[in-house]
Amino acid sequence: MELLFTLNLLLGIGSIFWPVWFSRSQLALPWVNPFTISLAVSLPVQLMKLLGGPLVLIDGGLFDVDYQLALLMGTLLIAAQTLGLVFFLRLFGQIRIERYLPFQRLHLGSSGLWRAAAATLLAFAVFFVLLATAEFGLGNWLGNPREGYQLYRTGQGHWYAMALSTLSASYLLTLLARPKPTTAIACSLFYALLSYFLGSKGTLLAFFVTGLVFLWFLKWKHLVRVFLIGTPLLFSALVYNLFLALGDGFDFQAILEYFDYYKNAADYYHAHLAGQLPLFWGEISLSSLWAYAPRALFPDKPVVYGILLVNEFFYPGQAELTNTPAFGGAVEQYADFGLPGVIFFGFFSAQSVLTAMMSHLIFKRPGIGLNSVSGATVLLMLIQFAPAFGSYFPGWLFLALVLVIMLIVRIAAARYRWLQQPGSLA
């Protein structure tokens, strides 16, 4: 049995490296590319989730039966997602989806991009102030962003979502306005500082990754050096952010205990196999549609829906307090229909479809070029690389957000062209 468990562990760790295989074999990219950059930055966190947390949180450690089952389901989910990714990548190539890419003829000057970046940065400032002053207070939020993020977003999630997405859009537009390595580094530091005040470690990580990816598109020779210097500094900021959350209980074991994703998944599979928590048979998938409804417009929107139905079993009443521990091990996909759900929801996942589409358009046809930025360039970079852009905007809400940002870009570009016309007041 230990041999099987060890093999399962090796497969689970190996599945993390799917971006290396995909980018090399399917896209023919060099070893250092946006996929492997993202993997390299996130690898410590992924390993902590996969191995570090379970080592200290589960009595049986890495050889606990329930943990092993959670690990196996997580590996199967990644395998299904990767198969779906390859399938849809080839499908989009066959139908030549690039023919339907909008904004290809919208050519943007640097002044227009600067205007759009300034407009979205101003929007971020407005949304952030509305968020912080709603309950916690601006001074308190700036002093402890982590507490604001954890405890004072209830009922104000729309302001948080808009603040995050407008900051992300402004960052990307600033990078595209002057695609030079020095500008990329300077504005990455500035926007990373602003993102720190949103209180999310994942957001800070996403901004760092976007900066590295942009330097890759610029083919900057010092990219690896920036990665080696910047990564320790980034994780120092993440540890400090965690210190604000843990306070006096901060130590190495407390850090490991923070990564409870697979411990929670092991608890789920134990309860499920014991008959305490049967399958939901679609209730999780259907109720997750509530995510499309902003609470500001639907005040009677339930607090518990989607995967929170599982949370409510283990942590009753905590969702209402915004305490929603996450589950690894493909629990969200398994909890409705079991193993078939893991395979189906993995293969047809939005992540597989969208990543395949963006991979074809960015790395195959028509491809990304930063020498002459078009509206299509902004659109593709916004969807695929803007850090945490649209994270809280599912489905059509995400599409609406993208269209709003593109409208701002188009207006800024039109304003720029008007100023350049002979005889204008400029």
Side-chain angles (χ1 to χ4, degrees), residues 158 284-298 301-302 305-306 332 348-350 390-400:
H158 50 293
I284 289 178
S285 302
L286 289 175
S287 65
S288 66
L289 295 175
W290 275 111
Y292 292 80
R295 193 173 297 278
L297 300 179
F298 299 89
K301 172 181 174 178
Y305 59 88
E332 183 171 3
F348 293 100
S349 67
S391 295
Y392 300 93
F393 291 82
W396 66 268
L397 290 177
F398 177 80
L399 178 61

Side-chain angles (χ1 to χ4, degrees), residues 373-393:
V373 178
S374 69
T377 304
V378 175
L379 178 66
L380 294 175
M381 296 290 282
L382 185 70
I383 294 174
Q384 185 65 14
F385 296 118
F389 177 80
S391 295
Y392 300 93
F393 291 82

Side-chain angles (χ1 to χ4, degrees), residues 340-393:
V342 173
I343 297 172
F344 178 85
F345 290 125
F347 189 90
F348 293 100
S349 67
Q351 177 182 340
S352 295
V353 176
L354 188 59
T355 302
M357 182 187 301
M358 292 297 105
S359 296
H360 175 79
L361 295 172
I362 292 172
F363 300 109
K364 290 181 176 290
R365 293 191 298 269
I368 287 291
L370 299 182
N371 294 328
S372 178
V373 178
S374 69
T377 304
V378 175
L379 178 66
L380 294 175
M381 296 290 282
L382 185 70
I383 294 174
Q384 185 65 14
F385 296 118
F389 177 80
S391 295
Y392 300 93
F393 291 82

